[in-house]
Amino acid sequence: MQNFGAFVSHYGVDNHGIKNPGTVYWNLTTSMLYEHVTRRDEGKIAHLGPLVVQTGGHTGRSPNDRFVVKEPGSESQIWWGKVNRPFSQENFDYLYRKMLAYVQNRDIYVFDGYVGADPKFRMPVRIITEYAWHNLFARNMFIRELDPEKLRNHVPQFTVIDMPRLKAEPEQDGTNSQTFILVDFGRRLVLIGGTEYAGEIKKSIFTAMNYFMPQQGVMSMHCSANFGKDRDDVALFFGLSGTGKTTLSSDPSRTLIGDDEHGWSDEGVFNYEGGCYAKVIRLDPKGEPEIYETTRKFGTILENVILDNSTRRVDLNDGSLTENTRSSYPISHVSNAVRDGMGGHPNNVFFLTADAFGVLPPIARLTNEQAMYHFLSGYTAKVAGTERGVTEPQPNFSTCFGAPFMPLRPGIYAELLGDKIKKHGAKVWLINTGWTGGPYGVGNRMKLAHTRRMIAAALNGELDDVPMIEEPFFGLSVPQAMQDVPSEVLNPRNTWSDPEAYDAQAQRLVGMFKENFKQFEENVSEEIKAAGPR
């Protein structure tokens, strides 16, 4: 085994069972990784410096190929079911041995860093990859260690081994397909194979934090975060991919804490990551200038974005490979991001939903009980491309606005969030970034300018004294009027050409909410149950 790099950890890869690899490249700089990517023909350098790569057949996550190892240390705590499906220790061991054999005589890349900006809760991680560009992805997405001596003494508390070209044999290995994402909380280890989609690395680490942080009293959240004039004016934006977390938190008038994953401790909010992972399909340089600028910078990775081989210019409007085109970039690419990734306690919490039915109002103030109901429901739409087989938005209930990454029972996250909202007096808002004037295919997507204006009104206290009306289906408090937002937009029924069709669609969605919430009814208060739709 040959180690290469200025920052080789004394805790070598042999501690992970890896023996006889080719060259192990340790903690390479961005420039060095660029050289490896181009030399190995893993990607191409575009105009102005971003790296353009393709992820093959997997252009989104593969939730049906993700399993949690059933082991004594975590078995009683896991929320077993469709999301967290059990995988035997025997099958895990077999695939692990297969992976260790696969690594022999192959060059691999190691990134050592952290997840969690708050030093009190920071977890040292190690990402071992087959591809150089996956290692650059890890370098972008996680928190780097800048002290050479600490890097050389780095000992990970959680490790991901990512070998895309290693494919499982389902009948032999116990997997659903040739793809596998296996999470073992006992060994603090994730094995990934059969997929080149780098997002699996990021979400595996997020899943680990969602397991470990609540056990330390930290609310683990699938949300973006920013603050206003000072760190005590924090806003959170919960939502699944495509609902607007990155877009709405990237506000030039506010300071970005992070775009996707955070913890909320007794001292405030902190980012888990050191980078951002934004959707860039049809990115508007005028409407989203901060994100657009990152697509034109050295160090950014553009996934499945179409590149003109003659001019080396990218076309962000071309979705021929996938609607889920992505940009991975270090948070230092964002001029108004706070470098330490920390803020105070939130004053405002926004639940973002992309309502494919076109029923929910664009903004509504929630009571604490309604907040818990909608947090547990996690209603949104799966957006095209974020998962395999999803080609258009589909109604989806994702508990805690992030069920695919939540290993513990939903009540644990809901209780933590409810306690913190109540303790710190945060206002909670439901924001529909989805459709209005009709369902998907008939209506139109909510205008970003209107959504930004409504959020600004909520943040600056403009809505505190505005008269509210109670919409009839969900009992939500909706502002009667707002500057720069047409009054008919605030009442979605008024945007439909056929109000009776709206009523029928609303009743249909009410039924879906009630059916979904049956799974929680035994474990919530009567007040929370009563906070649902009529």
Side-chain angles (χ1 to χ4, degrees):
M1 178 172 64
Q2 179 180 354
N3 290 312
F4 178 87
F7 311 111
V8 179
S9 171
H10 299 313
Y11 190 86
V13 295
D14 55 312
N15 288 282
H16 307 289
I18 296 175
K19 294 179 171 58
N20 305 317
T23 301
V24 182
Y25 294 98
W26 291 84
N27 299 303
L28 299 188
T29 65
T30 298
S31 298
M32 295 171 76
L33 287 169
Y34 259 62
E35 293 168 0
H36 281 250
V37 169
T38 54
R39 187 163 62 240
R40 293 159 56 101
D41 199 26
E42 293 179 5
K44 297 178 180 179
I45 302 172
H47 175 65
L48 298 179
L51 193 66
V52 179
V53 299
Q54 294 185 8
T55 63
H58 292 74
T59 56
R61 292 183 299 104
S62 298
N64 293 330
D65 296 310
R66 175 187 172 278
F67 298 89
V68 177
V69 176
K70 203 167 188 176
E71 54 87 27
S74 62
E75 182 177 352
S76 63
Q77 301 178 70
I78 301 300
W79 178 34
W80 299 109
K82 293 181 180 179
V83 172
N84 300 298
R85 289 169 299 168
F87 200 75
S88 73
Q89 287 183 294
E90 292 76 15
N91 282 342
F92 182 88
D93 290 342
Y94 184 81
L95 263 171
Y96 192 15
R97 289 195 297 270
K98 184 182 287 190
M99 182 170 279
L100 295 177
Y102 175 84
V103 171
Q104 292 192 44
N105 299 315
R106 294 179 187 272
D107 294 349
I108 55 177
Y109 296 83
V110 180
F111 168 81
D112 286 333
Y114 305 97
V115 58
D118 188 337
K120 293 183 180 178
F121 302 104
R122 178 173 292 172
M123 184 166 70
V125 296
R126 171 169 290 172
I127 315 297
I128 302 172
T129 67
E130 179 178 11
Y131 291 169
W133 84 259
H134 277 190
N135 208 256
L136 178 58
F137 177 88
R139 180 176 169 83
N140 279 352
M141 299 313 304
F142 303 114
I143 297 171
R144 303 173 187 175
E145 174 57 71
L146 303 179
D147 185 329
E149 193 58 31
K150 288 183 178 179
L151 265 181
R152 295 187 186 101
N153 289 287
H154 187 89
V155 178
Q157 293 179 10
F158 203 86
T159 301
V160 175
I161 305 179
D162 172 59
M163 300 288 141
R165 291 177 180 163
L166 173 63
K167 293 177 170 53
E169 300 174 59
E171 292 182 1
Q172 184 178 60
D173 299 329
T175 59
N176 274 346
S177 71
Q178 292 182 323
T179 300
F180 57 92
I181 303 98
L182 309 179
V183 183
D184 189 329
F185 291 114
R187 298 194 198 190
R188 292 174 172 252
L189 176 65
V190 173
L191 306 180
I192 300 175
T195 173
E196 298 182 28
Y197 184 64
E200 300 287 9
I201 299 172
K202 164 188 161 71
K203 292 305 184 185
S204 293
I205 293 293
F206 183 40
T207 300
M209 294 297 276
N210 289 338
Y211 176 78
F212 292 112
M213 287 296 99
Q215 298 178 47
Q216 300 180 55
V218 175
M219 173 57 190
S220 197
M221 306 176 293
H222 189 211
C223 71
S224 58
N226 63 23
F227 61 80
K229 293 180 180 180
D230 56 56
R231 295 185 189 234
D232 293 326
D233 179 23
V234 170
L236 304 181
F237 301 83
F238 284 85
L240 292 188
S241 296
T243 55
K245 292 192 309 299
T246 302
T247 297
L248 294 173
S249 59
S250 298
D251 184 336
S253 67
R254 295 174 65 84
T255 301
L256 180 69
I257 300 174
D259 85 319
D260 196 42
E261 302 168 4
H262 291 81
W264 187 353
S265 72
D266 290 338
E267 296 182 10
V269 169
F270 61 96
N271 192 3
Y272 283 170
E273 300 181 302
C276 301
Y277 195 39
K279 287 193 70 170
V280 293
I281 188 68
R282 290 178 287 278
L283 192 66
D284 182 0
K286 293 183 179 179
E288 302 169 82
E290 295 80 19
I291 302 173
Y292 179 78
E293 281 305 312
T294 68
T295 68
R296 300 154 60 82
K297 291 187 177 182
F298 179 84
T300 292
I301 302 171
L302 298 177
E303 292 181 0
N304 300 311
V305 171
I306 298 301
L307 176 71
D308 186 314
N309 285 322
S310 299
T311 64
R312 285 296 194 267
R313 293 179 182 272
V314 298
D315 184 357
L316 299 179
N317 295 317
D318 191 333
S320 56
L321 289 178
T322 177
E323 288 287 302
N324 191 39
T325 56
R326 292 274 179 168
S327 174
S328 162
Y329 49 92
I331 204 164
S332 57
H333 277 14
V334 181
S335 60
N336 65 328
V338 63
R339 294 297 180 259
D340 64 9
M342 298 177 67
H345 296 289
N347 294 328
N348 289 277
V349 175
F350 297 94
F351 293 162
L352 307 178
T353 175
D355 176 23
F357 284 93
V359 167
L360 292 176
I363 185 169
R365 174 79 184 268
L366 303 182
T367 65
N368 285 354
E369 291 75 22
Q370 286 175 327
M372 290 302 95
Y373 184 95
H374 284 274
F375 183 68
L376 285 169
S377 298
Y379 170 68
T380 188
K382 290 181 180 178
V383 179
T386 54
E387 292 182 7
R388 297 190 76 192
V390 179
T391 57
E392 62 180 43
Q394 299 175 358
N396 178 45
F397 290 90
S398 185
T399 304
C400 307
F401 293 98
F405 327 116
M406 303 294 178
L408 304 177
R409 295 177 182 86
I412 293 174
Y413 305 106
E415 288 177 15
L416 275 169
L417 181 63
D419 289 345
K420 291 186 183 299
I421 286 173
K422 191 175 296 182
K423 181 178 179 180
H424 300 288
K427 303 169 193 170
V428 184
W429 308 85
L430 184 67
I431 303 289
N432 177 17
T433 63
W435 281 259
T436 185
Y440 172 80
V442 177
N444 300 307
R445 194 77 189 256
M446 201 73 66
K447 289 185 178 180
L448 178 58
H450 288 161
T451 301
R452 287 193 188 279
R453 177 68 190 95
M454 288 182 273
I455 287 175
L459 290 172
N460 64 28
E462 187 180 324
L463 301 183
D464 291 353
D465 300 317
V466 168
M468 299 276 186
I469 58 172
E470 185 177 290
E471 64 83 38
F473 294 98
F474 289 82
L476 301 172
S477 296
V478 179
Q480 283 188 332
M482 192 183 308
Q483 185 178 354
D484 299 326
V485 178
S487 58
E488 64 270 16
V489 171
L490 295 173
N491 185 340
R493 191 174 190 268
N494 292 339
T495 66
W496 284 52
S497 59
D498 183 354
E500 291 185 0
Y502 170 87
D503 294 343
Q505 191 79 300
Q507 289 286 13
R508 182 184 175 199
L509 186 57
V510 164
M512 292 181 65
F513 265 84
K514 288 184 174 182
E515 183 63 29
N516 174 73
F517 204 77
K518 287 179 180 178
Q519 61 183 307
F520 307 117
E521 287 182 344
E522 292 183 3
N523 300 309
V524 300
S525 68
E526 291 298 321
E527 290 78 11
I528 293 177
K529 280 190 280 188
R534 307 299 169 81

